[in-house]
Amino acid sequence: MQWRQIWAAATLVLCTAGVAHAKPITDADLAPIRLGKNDALARELILRQEWGAAAKTVNGVSAGANLVRGWLLEKANNHEAALVALSGVESAIPILADLVFLTRGRAFMGLERYPDAAKVLAKVRSNDAIGWAARRAYALALREAQLNSAAAKAYQVLINSGRGADIRSGLLGLARVENARKRPKAALELALRLDLEYPADRKSVV
């Protein structure tokens, strides 16, 4: 697969997902990668965010097409099919491995396979938008798996990130972990900090 096709696949997925701050998707962005027999329809459905219908039209055989199809299937809540589509893609396109891990982790979470999700999400190493999205998902997967000690550490990473949105997620998530651990005082302290520092974003920790 050509590097131009790889980057086209990444641009398609990232721009549509809102994961990366990039220009809107155009036909020029999508043209280098062949999505399937009816490229025009596939592009139109993706731009309209009709995820399930778009996934059905992406029937190309390249790793880039598999990545796009897997991402679309996950967005359409067809998690088992997403896992199948993403199988081996990180080996074929190592430069996009973190995106594959993030999408696979979300698919596992959709299936409530939280330990599997955490294992995959832990592989993400980048410090870009994909990396931080994976760290948020990783912390949530650990909490849903009731691995509270590990979840507390993961949420602390978010709190220490210096990134406003991730600090908020970390405070809220850690408050919920402490609540689950029967530590109401610690949960209340975190909730109060969330209320003081981010008053518009406070949510229930129950």
Side-chain angles (χ1 to χ4, degrees):
M1 185 179 184
Q2 299 297 317
W3 289 110
R4 187 162 173 258
Q5 292 178 306
I6 292 172
W7 284 114
T11 298
L12 169 61
V13 173
L14 295 178
C15 293
T16 309
V19 171
H21 298 290
K23 63 183 179 64
I25 302 172
T26 66
D27 282 345
D29 294 318
L30 304 183
I33 180 170
R34 180 171 176 79
L35 298 177
K37 295 179 180 178
N38 193 337
D39 276 10
L41 177 59
R43 290 196 293 269
E44 177 63 26
L45 291 171
I46 290 170
L47 292 171
R48 291 187 345 223
Q49 299 187 10
E50 296 183 20
W51 311 127
K56 292 178 181 179
T57 65
V58 179
N59 52 21
V61 297
S62 68
N66 287 336
L67 171 57
V68 173
R69 180 166 52 251
W71 183 85
L72 290 168
L73 288 165
E74 194 281 320
K75 289 287 288 183
N77 296 318
N78 193 343
H79 306 298
E80 289 280 8
L83 293 174
V84 172
L86 294 169
S87 179
V89 172
E90 68 272 23
S91 298
I93 317 177
I95 197 169
L96 296 180
D98 282 349
L99 177 58
V100 177
F101 294 145
L102 173 59
T103 308
R104 184 178 293 140
R106 286 173 169 169
F108 277 132
M109 292 182 72
L111 295 169
E112 298 185 0
R113 292 171 57 179
Y114 299 115
D116 289 329
K119 184 177 180 180
V120 170
L121 292 164
K123 296 179 180 181
V124 177
R125 292 287 181 264
S126 62
N127 284 315
D128 56 12
I130 292 174
W132 287 105
R135 289 178 184 90
R136 291 191 297 273
Y138 174 66
L140 178 58
L142 291 170
R143 179 163 67 84
E144 292 290 352
Q146 299 182 13
L147 299 172
N148 289 326
S149 294
K153 292 178 181 178
Y155 280 121
Q156 195 63 55
V157 169
L158 297 178
I159 292 170
N160 296 337
S161 68
R163 297 165 53 91
D166 290 315
I167 294 172
R168 292 193 294 272
S169 295
L171 289 170
L172 178 60
L174 185 55
R176 288 174 169 165
V177 169
E178 296 295 12
N179 192 62
R181 296 164 98 177
K182 309 300 182 184
R183 297 179 180 177
K185 183 179 179 180
L188 179 59
E189 289 175 351
L190 289 160
L192 289 173
R193 179 179 169 187
L194 182 65
D195 192 35
L196 289 171
E197 297 181 15
Y198 305 98
D201 298 286
R202 187 175 184 273
K203 299 177 182 177
S204 171
V205 300
V206 178

